[in-house]
Amino acid sequence: MPFEAPQRAGQADAASRLIRDNLSNRSKTMQNAVPAAGEAMPAAMSPEYHEAWKRARGLAKELSRALAAAGDAEFAHIRPAGTMCPIAFGNAPQEDPLLLAIDAYKKGCADYRELPDDDPVAEEAAIEATYGAPMQVLTEWEQPARSREAVVAALELLKSEHFVAGGMGIALLDACIQFAKGEMF
């Protein structure tokens, strides 16, 4: 005998009505429903339909060029007029310049550690060829971090390198503080 959940009187009728009403409302909102077997396929699209899509594609290309000219990593989400939130903008994920600079410094440090340390005279040239330039970039850094990942990377670098004071330490702390305050741009 299959299990049947106990129901109060009228509860089954109410559930049936709710399901029926939801299905009825769903079919009203589905504008381009797929025809059922045996139904006629829609006629070929009208010239107006094709012209509307041609215009939409042209406007989309124009919007794309305008977003590119703005210089940000913005994106636009456009829906037909009359729908909820027909136009929305957002930020596409992008690399944080501070994170890139920290990664370059870490790579330079790793490259330096791979060099033989038997020539103290060439040490200055080795530093310049590996982590020197990225370290200078970080020491002179003035922009705020733009992502949580960059803040974490900066704080981890400060901790691992014991740069709590000094040029790079102050610059990285400033970048993190500005991000935390919401001063990203």
Side-chain angles (χ1 to χ4, degrees), residues 62-74:
E62 185 178 338
L63 177 58
S64 178
R65 287 189 296 272
L67 289 172
D72 293 334
E74 293 276 329

Side-chain angles (χ1 to χ4, degrees), residues 8-19:
R8 295 185 194 144
Q11 193 175 18
D13 291 338
S16 295
R17 277 194 308 276
L18 181 62
I19 291 170

Side-chain angles (χ1 to χ4, degrees), residues 106-154:
K106 286 180 177 181
K107 183 186 179 315
C109 288
D111 291 347
Y112 179 80
R113 284 191 292 274
E114 296 295 320
L115 296 175
D117 57 352
D118 56 352
D119 187 2
V121 177
E123 183 175 355
E124 192 66 35
I127 290 171
E128 201 52 45
T130 55
Y131 70 86
M135 182 175 178
Q136 188 66 32
V137 167
L138 289 173
T139 301
E140 297 172 359
W141 196 266
E142 294 181 352
Q143 301 173 35
R146 294 185 182 180
S147 67
R148 181 180 179 278
E149 292 80 15
V151 170
V152 171

Side-chain angles (χ1 to χ4, degrees), residues 176-184:
C176 295
I177 290 167
Q178 290 170 0
F179 176 85
K181 288 181 175 180
E183 302 169 5
M184 295 178 283

Side-chain angles (χ1 to χ4, degrees), residues 12-30:
D13 291 338
S16 295
R17 277 194 308 276
L18 181 62
I19 291 170
R20 185 182 60 243
D21 290 347
N22 281 336
L23 290 174
S24 174
N25 288 339
R26 184 181 293 168
S27 66
K28 289 177 190 173
T29 60
M30 292 177 62

